[in-house]
Amino acid sequence: MSVENEHRLCFRNAMASLSAAVNIITTDGPAGRCGITATAVCSVTDTPPTLMICMNRNSAMNPVFQENGHLCVNILNHEQELLARHFAGMTGVSMEERFGWDIWHNGPLGQPMLKETLANLEGSIKQVQEVGTHYVYLVEIKQIMVREEGHGLIYFKRDFHPVMDKNITPVV
């Protein structure tokens, strides 16, 4: 193995130890409707509210997101792991089927918002930059919906894991 490949593998293994919230990023508009599962999402600033989303440049979804210019970040709860797998392309369920389920409503900006998530953040893509193998999207958030209850879903060591909110008592 070359030094470069060994370094890349070491970096990927290190990043597998970086716990990350699981999100489904959706878009709808003139270029069509689609969504992907993403963990490379983080806040940039709260004035104006802006997120950074990293998406592999090889993804066929990039032209759709870029042409539509709007998107929604749906922060998943611990019971939405199967949806994360669907939108990560791990199950063979078509995009049309995924959006055919009665789990969606349209946000104020017309973007698909997943029901029962921890939060939905709808916004406009303000900038796209190429960095290595990925596009980095800077998205100004225009609409925010937050649920007060629910447990989180993270991706850690290449698998999904629930994160329990110690302030929420389980229903028995």
Side-chain angles (χ1 to χ4, degrees):
M1 179 183 297
S2 73
V3 173
E4 184 179 311
N5 284 342
E6 187 175 327
H7 189 65
R8 185 177 316 131
L9 179 61
C10 189
F11 180 78
R12 291 174 66 103
N13 287 338
M15 291 301 96
S17 297
L18 181 63
S19 302
V22 180
N23 310 276
I24 293 177
I25 315 297
T26 56
T27 187
D28 196 1
R33 181 172 51 188
C34 70
I36 62 163
T37 299
T39 56
V41 175
C42 72
S43 64
V44 175
T45 180
D46 65 358
T47 310
T50 303
L51 292 176
M52 178 183 72
I53 301 166
C54 300
M55 197 179 307
N56 193 300
R57 286 183 18 215
N58 291 331
S59 172
M61 309 301 168
N62 279 302
V64 180
F65 280 96
Q66 290 177 26
E67 186 178 332
N68 287 346
H70 293 87
L71 57 75
C72 183
V73 175
N74 300 279
I75 303 174
L76 302 188
N77 73 49
H78 74 292
E79 295 177 326
Q80 294 175 313
E81 177 183 335
L82 184 56
L83 284 172
R85 290 182 182 280
H86 290 317
F87 279 87
M90 302 167 95
T91 63
V93 175
S94 73
M95 195 66 69
E96 187 175 326
E97 286 178 88
R98 297 172 203 172
F99 283 105
W101 298 324
D102 187 28
I103 55 173
W104 302 98
H105 64 275
N106 285 333
L109 299 178
Q111 299 308 296
M113 297 179 103
L114 186 57
K115 297 176 184 176
E116 303 298 317
T117 58
L118 297 179
N120 309 91
L121 299 104
E122 199 176 15
S124 302
I125 299 169
K126 294 298 181 185
Q127 191 174 354
V128 181
Q129 293 187 355
E130 287 186 33
V131 179
T133 58
H134 281 65
Y135 284 117
V136 176
Y137 290 78
L138 293 178
V139 180
E140 188 174 325
I141 302 304
K142 304 290 188 182
Q143 299 289 332
I144 302 169
M145 296 175 67
V146 179
R147 272 182 72 214
E148 295 302 319
E149 295 181 358
H151 302 292
L153 181 65
I154 63 167
Y155 198 70
F156 174 71
K157 296 287 186 180
R158 297 182 175 88
D159 202 2
F160 297 97
H161 303 274
V163 176
M164 297 304 169
D165 182 346
K166 64 183 179 184
N167 297 317
I168 299 176
T169 51
V171 178
V172 182

